[in-house]
Amino acid sequence: MCYATSMPSLPIPIHPDRGPLLQVHVVSPTRVETLSALVDTGAERSSIDRNQAKMLALEMVGTADVVTPSTGADAKKTNVYKSELVIQAGK
């Protein structure tokens, strides 16, 4: 038996070279910056470019082991930053 449910949805434009991109507001201690974010619904964490994290003066709060297709089976240590992402649905 199949049950239909009403799931929230958000229309996301697909960029031909970069994939599904969404505008997000990154809240830092000093300002709010709007950035394009690559949407990965299966990811455990969100990522930000190191230079953007530095530009926003995000506080580094530790490190995490991350495994991706590019790292193979070996985990790579990456910095973890404190931030808040705001996604605005609709206009």
Side-chain angles (χ1 to χ4, degrees), residues 44-80:
E44 290 182 20
R45 294 185 169 111
S46 297
S47 299
I48 188 167
D49 179 81
R50 183 181 338 221
N51 293 327
Q52 289 177 327
K54 186 176 180 179
M55 173 190 73
L56 291 165
L58 296 180
E59 176 188 356
M60 190 179 117
V61 293
T63 61
D65 291 331
V66 176
V67 177
T68 69
S70 64
T71 64
D74 299 324
K76 179 180 178 187
K77 280 224 181 292
T78 59
N79 296 336
V80 176

